[in-house]
Amino acid sequence: MSERERSGGRLLTGLAWAVLLLGLWLWGREVTDVRHGTSAPATGDMAAVGRPPDAELPPAAKPLGQALPQRIDIPELGVQAPVVARGLDTEGAIDPPPFDQAGVVGWYAAGAKPGAKGTALLVGHVDTETRPAVFYKLSTLRAGETVRVVRDDGKVAEFTVDDVEVVQRDHFDAQQAYGTRQSDRAELRLITCGGTYDRARHSYTANVIVSAYLTGTAV
């Protein structure tokens, strides 16, 4: 990831929605760039994992009320990371967690809250100049695995992964990547960089996008 992540707009309708999609497309190209000199992560130049055609996934749970995310747990990856709200900078780009907080996940606070109706966006670094970061193994998730978000209302929103994609930036479709797939669900997107590291452009060639939906609640 670069020290500045690109995202634009707000979750509005009409023209504002189109502006958001354009901003997210730009974010998709810039959000996961790393600083100069970083070597490519283990996520590597892999094809999209996607959903196995015979995967049996649980039904969606009813969306929860509004509450702020505090922590994300991904048991299969051994991830337990604090979640911090991130806003927009003066140029309309989302402010990511700084590189000295590479174990922190950023939540796009102008969007949906994790567990509530809509699509919540969480973004994390894949690496820094010297070490792997919080979402280094994100592309190894599989459909059916679990992502948990601890909220400040004492509830734990449990999401089931239904899709993992490595999207080449030359073919990036913001609406497909970030749009809500079913309007009555609480959905989640986990986003980092993937593909190979382009040393000429000082950026990665793709984005890893994990899609999940709310399937349960714990306390």
Side-chain angles (χ1 to χ4, degrees), residues 1-86:
M1 280 186 165
S2 63
E3 292 179 298
R4 302 181 56 196
E5 304 187 39
R6 296 285 175 191
S7 178
R10 298 181 182 277
L11 299 179
L12 302 177
T13 59
L15 179 59
W17 174 246
V19 171
L20 174 62
L21 291 180
L22 175 60
L24 286 173
W25 180 81
L26 293 173
W27 181 30
R29 295 180 63 86
E30 300 294 338
V31 66
T32 56
D33 293 350
V34 296
R35 294 180 294 177
H36 297 186
T38 305
S39 59
T43 50
D45 191 16
M46 60 178 291
V49 176
R51 182 194 299 179
D54 58 349
E56 294 185 6
L57 301 179
K62 181 180 179 181
L64 304 174
Q66 303 293 324
L68 298 176
Q70 295 182 320
R71 192 181 78 236
I72 181 172
D73 297 340
I74 310 176
E76 287 80 1
L77 305 186
V79 169
Q80 287 189 330
V83 176
V84 296
R86 306 302 293 175

Side-chain angles (χ1 to χ4, degrees), residues 45-217:
D45 191 16
M46 60 178 291
V49 176
R51 182 194 299 179
D54 58 349
E56 294 185 6
L57 301 179
K62 181 180 179 181
L64 304 174
Q66 303 293 324
L68 298 176
Q70 295 182 320
R71 192 181 78 236
I72 181 172
D73 297 340
I74 310 176
E76 287 80 1
L77 305 186
V79 169
Q80 287 189 330
V83 176
V84 296
R86 306 302 293 175
L88 301 177
D89 64 19
T90 57
E91 296 182 2
I94 192 170
D95 281 328
F99 272 97
D100 62 3
Q101 297 180 21
V104 175
V105 173
W107 162 59
Y108 181 50
K113 296 178 177 65
K117 185 177 179 180
T119 302
L121 305 178
L122 297 181
V123 60
H125 294 292
V126 69
D127 58 12
T128 68
E129 289 182 341
T130 59
R131 66 188 189 279
V134 63
F135 280 170
Y136 187 72
K137 296 181 179 179
L138 191 66
S139 66
T140 66
L141 279 175
R142 296 293 184 268
E145 295 181 332
T146 300
V147 177
R148 299 186 179 99
V149 178
V150 179
R151 303 169 9 130
D152 70 354
D153 61 356
K155 296 180 179 179
V156 179
E158 297 184 337
F159 296 86
T160 296
V161 174
D162 63 350
D163 191 62
V164 182
E165 296 180 282
V166 179
V167 181
Q168 297 298 316
R169 293 179 181 177
D170 291 341
H171 304 287
F172 193 84
D173 184 330
Q175 185 169 9
Q176 180 179 2
Y178 303 124
T180 300
R181 297 183 177 182
Q182 294 187 26
S183 60
D184 58 343
R185 299 196 309 186
E187 299 185 355
L188 189 69
R189 300 289 186 275
L190 308 180
I191 307 159
T192 192
C193 63
T196 55
Y197 186 69
D198 186 332
R199 295 186 180 278
R201 297 183 178 182
H202 304 293
S203 67
Y204 285 97
T205 59
N207 290 106
V208 176
I209 302 174
V210 173
S211 299
Y213 64 100
L214 184 70
T215 52
T217 308

